[in-house]
Amino acid sequence: MPIDTHPENTAFLLRRGNGYSAEQFQALRKIRVTGTGCEILATLALVDDEAIIGAGEIGLGEQAFRRLGLPEGAEVAIAQARPPASLELVRRKIEGETLGEAEIAAIVADIAGHLYSPMEIAAFLVACAGFMSTPETLALTKAMVEVGNHLHWDSPLVVDKHCIGGIPGNRTSMIVVPIVAAHGLICPKTSSRAITSPCGTADVMEVLAEVDLGEDKLADVVARESAVLAWGGRVNLSPADDVLISVERPLRLDTFEQMVASIISKKVAAGSTHLVIDIPVGPTAKVRSQDDAVRLRKLFEYVARHMGLVTTIVFSDGSQPVGRGVGPVLEARDVMAVLRNEPDAPADLRDHALMLAGHVLDFDPAIEGGSGYARAAELLASGAALAKMEALISAQGRNPVKPVPGKHHYDVVAPASGRIAAIDCERIARIARSAGAPLDKGAGIDLLHKVGAPVRQGEALFRIHANSQTGLGFACELAAEASGYTIA
């Protein structure tokens, strides 16, 4: 049935006419659907209109139909689904117990197998957010790698870079990757879509090129261009993480432990051997103190070391958004301005990307220690990085639609004259998401002034873009409550 029930498997049955009483239907809240060589668990929805589905038929939502893998008209059997045995382990975690490696592996395998409902997944996530030991975090990482696909590359040095997020506009990966690839290092950058932010790297790259690449296409792009900028979900890397993220997003959960397991599992599954991790620290960032930054760094180092991944961890300035644009189209504009060496390109985005690219290039044994930054700056200034980005866009499949900001916009103005003392990263992100980002590619925020800039009363601080009046209205209401700007 053409119904999107993401992330849940949903099955539809006629309430009457199948030989079941209403009480039996109620008991079948979750059912097991079994066909030749395949089966799924699905949440049951009852239908009262025979024009939608007939007696003796079962309808599956898009996700369930794809996961079962049978053609329309295939015969299946249904039965009441017993709860996965691993749910008892989740109950123990809720009660505060520390779980062992095999126990966490059992939970993750069932989550990856779509045996948990979103409510059951949320219970596991919230229990882990309450307390999760370092060995449990490592066990979660290992389990997430085991249940997914693994990419392999014919090179002893496969590099990557990842930012933990939380800073609007910080789209450095789309500058770092072409710089590193232009140098000749292999960099298969697979990214998630946004979890709690206005967009992720995959959301922004999708403005320019296809990111939903199958494994063969992804491998072909890397073989030709030494890199890729793709969505990781299509190639089934750490699929349990994708399921967890779909529940984390509406709950706005993003704990250090889940973050580390998510990032490291995806990088190991993608075949990376060396990784630069960017941890922005600031009063409204994900990491708000130096003590928290050190704790997160140690957790990354512990898990990465046990997973055989060489890491360089960088603390960066997370006190305000990076660049000017917040939202897929606006961030893609900033990235391309930096790669094209345009004179008005955001200097903070360029400098931050060069710093990170330098750390990645320092992994290359052929580069003299500490000279990675100079090499990165050379590749950007010469146009080699831009040429590589254009080659990547063409190889992945150029988006024929010209990226433009949302057709509706509204300027948020300064309530008084003064100097901008602070910008709240979390507030700016929430306003951009309210406007419709990342699903509305043109939605987001143009930052017209940054910290330290003088402004006059009534002067525009930032411009909200949206492709719907409704989205614009939501964002404007949120900005009216608090703009995120502090003027001193």
Side-chain angles (χ1 to χ4, degrees), residues 270-297:
S272 298
T273 61
H274 293 67
L275 173 66
V276 171
I277 299 172
D278 177 20
I279 301 179
V281 184
T284 57
K286 286 183 180 179
V287 178
R288 303 192 173 185
S289 71
Q290 194 68 20
D291 286 347
D292 281 347
V294 170
R295 183 171 75 84
L296 180 57
R297 186 200 73 201

Short mmCIF file of all heavy atoms in Angstrom, two decimals, residues 270-297:
data_model
loop_
_atom_site.label_atom_id
_atom_site.label_comp_id
_atom_site.label_asym_id
_atom_site.label_seq_id
_atom_site.Cartn_x
_atom_site.Cartn_y
_atom_site.Cartn_z
N ALA A 270 32.68 1.61 7.14
CA ALA A 270 33.02 2.21 5.86
C ALA A 270 34.45 1.91 5.43
O ALA A 270 34.88 2.30 4.34
CB ALA A 270 32.82 3.72 5.91
N GLY A 271 35.21 1.21 6.28
CA GLY A 271 36.57 0.82 5.93
C GLY A 271 37.63 1.84 6.25
O GLY A 271 38.78 1.71 5.79
N SER A 272 37.31 2.86 7.05
CA SER A 272 38.30 3.88 7.40
C SER A 272 39.34 3.31 8.36
O SER A 272 39.03 2.48 9.22
CB SER A 272 37.63 5.08 8.05
OG SER A 272 36.71 5.70 7.17
N THR A 273 40.58 3.76 8.21
CA THR A 273 41.67 3.36 9.10
C THR A 273 42.14 4.54 9.96
O THR A 273 42.67 4.34 11.05
CB THR A 273 42.87 2.83 8.31
OG1 THR A 273 43.36 3.88 7.44
CG2 THR A 273 42.48 1.62 7.46
N HIS A 274 41.95 5.77 9.48
CA HIS A 274 42.40 6.98 10.17
C HIS A 274 41.29 8.03 10.14
O HIS A 274 40.68 8.26 9.08
CB HIS A 274 43.66 7.55 9.51
CG HIS A 274 44.87 6.68 9.64
ND1 HIS A 274 44.97 5.44 9.01
CD2 HIS A 274 46.04 6.86 10.32
CE1 HIS A 274 46.14 4.91 9.30
NE2 HIS A 274 46.81 5.74 10.09
N LEU A 275 41.04 8.66 11.29
CA LEU A 275 39.90 9.56 11.41
C LEU A 275 40.26 10.80 12.21
O LEU A 275 40.84 10.71 13.29
CB LEU A 275 38.74 8.82 12.10
CG LEU A 275 37.49 9.62 12.47
CD1 LEU A 275 36.76 10.10 11.22
CD2 LEU A 275 36.57 8.77 13.34
N VAL A 276 39.90 11.98 11.69
CA VAL A 276 39.97 13.24 12.43
C VAL A 276 38.57 13.55 12.95
O VAL A 276 37.61 13.55 12.18
CB VAL A 276 40.48 14.39 11.54
CG1 VAL A 276 40.33 15.73 12.27
CG2 VAL A 276 41.94 14.17 11.16
N ILE A 277 38.47 13.80 14.25
CA ILE A 277 37.18 14.11 14.88
C ILE A 277 37.22 15.55 15.38
O ILE A 277 38.12 15.94 16.14
CB ILE A 277 36.88 13.16 16.04
CG1 ILE A 277 36.81 11.72 15.54
CG2 ILE A 277 35.57 13.54 16.73
CD1 ILE A 277 36.71 10.69 16.64
N ASP A 278 36.25 16.33 14.95
CA ASP A 278 36.14 17.73 15.33
C ASP A 278 35.10 17.86 16.43
O ASP A 278 33.93 17.50 16.25
CB ASP A 278 35.73 18.55 14.09
CG ASP A 278 35.52 20.03 14.39
OD1 ASP A 278 36.05 20.50 15.42
OD2 ASP A 278 34.84 20.71 13.59
N ILE A 279 35.51 18.37 17.60
CA ILE A 279 34.61 18.57 18.74
C ILE A 279 34.50 20.07 19.01
O ILE A 279 35.37 20.65 19.68
CB ILE A 279 35.09 17.84 20.00
CG1 ILE A 279 35.22 16.33 19.74
CG2 ILE A 279 34.15 18.10 21.18
CD1 ILE A 279 35.73 15.54 20.94
N PRO A 280 33.47 20.73 18.48
CA PRO A 280 33.30 22.16 18.81
C PRO A 280 32.85 22.31 20.27
O PRO A 280 32.01 21.55 20.75
CB PRO A 280 32.19 22.60 17.85
CG PRO A 280 32.09 21.53 16.81
CD PRO A 280 32.48 20.27 17.50
N VAL A 281 33.41 23.30 20.94
CA VAL A 281 33.09 23.56 22.35
C VAL A 281 32.57 24.99 22.46
O VAL A 281 33.23 25.93 22.01
CB VAL A 281 34.32 23.36 23.25
CG1 VAL A 281 33.94 23.54 24.72
CG2 VAL A 281 34.95 21.99 23.03
N GLY A 282 31.40 25.14 23.06
CA GLY A 282 30.84 26.48 23.21
C GLY A 282 29.62 26.47 24.11
O GLY A 282 29.07 25.40 24.42
N PRO A 283 29.16 27.64 24.53
CA PRO A 283 28.08 27.72 25.51
C PRO A 283 26.74 27.19 25.04
O PRO A 283 25.89 26.83 25.85
CB PRO A 283 27.99 29.23 25.81
CG PRO A 283 28.63 29.90 24.65
CD PRO A 283 29.69 28.97 24.17
N THR A 284 26.52 27.10 23.71
CA THR A 284 25.26 26.56 23.20
C THR A 284 25.52 25.42 22.21
O THR A 284 24.64 25.05 21.44
CB THR A 284 24.41 27.65 22.53
OG1 THR A 284 25.18 28.27 21.48
CG2 THR A 284 23.99 28.71 23.53
N ALA A 285 26.73 24.86 22.25
CA ALA A 285 27.07 23.71 21.40
C ALA A 285 26.67 22.42 22.11
O ALA A 285 26.19 22.43 23.24
CB ALA A 285 28.58 23.72 21.12
N LYS A 286 26.87 21.27 21.45
CA LYS A 286 26.60 20.00 22.11
C LYS A 286 27.52 19.82 23.31
O LYS A 286 27.12 19.27 24.34
CB LYS A 286 26.81 18.84 21.13
CG LYS A 286 25.71 18.68 20.09
CD LYS A 286 25.97 17.46 19.22
CE LYS A 286 24.88 17.30 18.17
NZ LYS A 286 25.12 16.13 17.31
N VAL A 287 28.78 20.24 23.17
CA VAL A 287 29.76 20.16 24.25
C VAL A 287 29.98 21.57 24.77
O VAL A 287 30.45 22.44 24.03
CB VAL A 287 31.07 19.53 23.75
CG1 VAL A 287 32.10 19.48 24.86
CG2 VAL A 287 30.82 18.13 23.20
N ARG A 288 29.68 21.80 26.05
CA ARG A 288 29.61 23.17 26.55
C ARG A 288 30.71 23.53 27.53
O ARG A 288 30.79 24.67 27.96
CB ARG A 288 28.24 23.41 27.17
CG ARG A 288 27.13 23.14 26.16
CD ARG A 288 25.78 23.61 26.58
NE ARG A 288 24.83 23.46 25.47
CZ ARG A 288 23.58 23.87 25.48
NH1 ARG A 288 23.09 24.47 26.56
NH2 ARG A 288 22.80 23.69 24.44
N SER A 289 31.56 22.57 27.89
CA SER A 289 32.65 22.88 28.80
C SER A 289 33.89 22.08 28.41
O SER A 289 33.80 21.05 27.74
CB SER A 289 32.26 22.54 30.24
OG SER A 289 32.19 21.13 30.42
N GLN A 290 35.03 22.56 28.88
CA GLN A 290 36.28 21.86 28.59
C GLN A 290 36.29 20.49 29.26
O GLN A 290 36.82 19.53 28.69
CB GLN A 290 37.47 22.71 29.08
CG GLN A 290 38.82 22.26 28.53
CD GLN A 290 38.95 22.47 27.03
OE1 GLN A 290 38.23 23.27 26.44
NE2 GLN A 290 39.87 21.75 26.40
N ASP A 291 35.71 20.39 30.44
CA ASP A 291 35.67 19.09 31.14
C ASP A 291 34.88 18.07 30.32
O ASP A 291 35.29 16.92 30.19
CB ASP A 291 35.03 19.26 32.53
CG ASP A 291 35.94 19.95 33.52
OD1 ASP A 291 37.15 20.08 33.21
OD2 ASP A 291 35.46 20.38 34.59
N ASP A 292 33.72 18.49 29.77
CA ASP A 292 32.93 17.59 28.94
C ASP A 292 33.68 17.22 27.67
O ASP A 292 33.61 16.07 27.19
CB ASP A 292 31.59 18.24 28.57
CG ASP A 292 30.58 18.17 29.70
OD1 ASP A 292 30.82 17.42 30.67
OD2 ASP A 292 29.56 18.89 29.63
N ALA A 293 34.39 18.19 27.10
CA ALA A 293 35.16 17.92 25.87
C ALA A 293 36.23 16.86 26.12
O ALA A 293 36.44 15.95 25.31
CB ALA A 293 35.80 19.21 25.36
N VAL A 294 36.91 16.97 27.26
CA VAL A 294 37.95 15.99 27.60
C VAL A 294 37.33 14.61 27.83
O VAL A 294 37.87 13.59 27.39
CB VAL A 294 38.74 16.46 28.84
CG1 VAL A 294 39.67 15.35 29.34
CG2 VAL A 294 39.56 17.71 28.51
N ARG A 295 36.18 14.58 28.52
CA ARG A 295 35.51 13.29 28.75
C ARG A 295 35.11 12.64 27.43
O ARG A 295 35.29 11.43 27.23
CB ARG A 295 34.27 13.49 29.63
CG ARG A 295 33.54 12.20 29.97
CD ARG A 295 32.46 12.42 31.02
NE ARG A 295 31.27 13.06 30.49
CZ ARG A 295 30.28 12.39 29.89
NH1 ARG A 295 30.36 11.08 29.72
NH2 ARG A 295 29.22 13.04 29.45
N LEU A 296 34.57 13.43 26.51
CA LEU A 296 34.17 12.89 25.21
C LEU A 296 35.39 12.44 24.42
O LEU A 296 35.36 11.38 23.78
CB LEU A 296 33.38 13.95 24.43
CG LEU A 296 32.88 13.53 23.05
CD1 LEU A 296 32.01 12.28 23.11
CD2 LEU A 296 32.12 14.68 22.38
N ARG A 297 36.46 13.23 24.47
CA ARG A 297 37.68 12.83 23.76
C ARG A 297 38.20 11.49 24.25
O ARG A 297 38.56 10.61 23.45
CB ARG A 297 38.77 13.90 23.96
CG ARG A 297 40.04 13.65 23.14
CD ARG A 297 41.23 14.41 23.70
NE ARG A 297 41.69 13.78 24.93
CZ ARG A 297 42.42 14.38 25.86
NH1 ARG A 297 42.74 15.66 25.73
NH2 ARG A 297 42.81 13.74 26.94
#
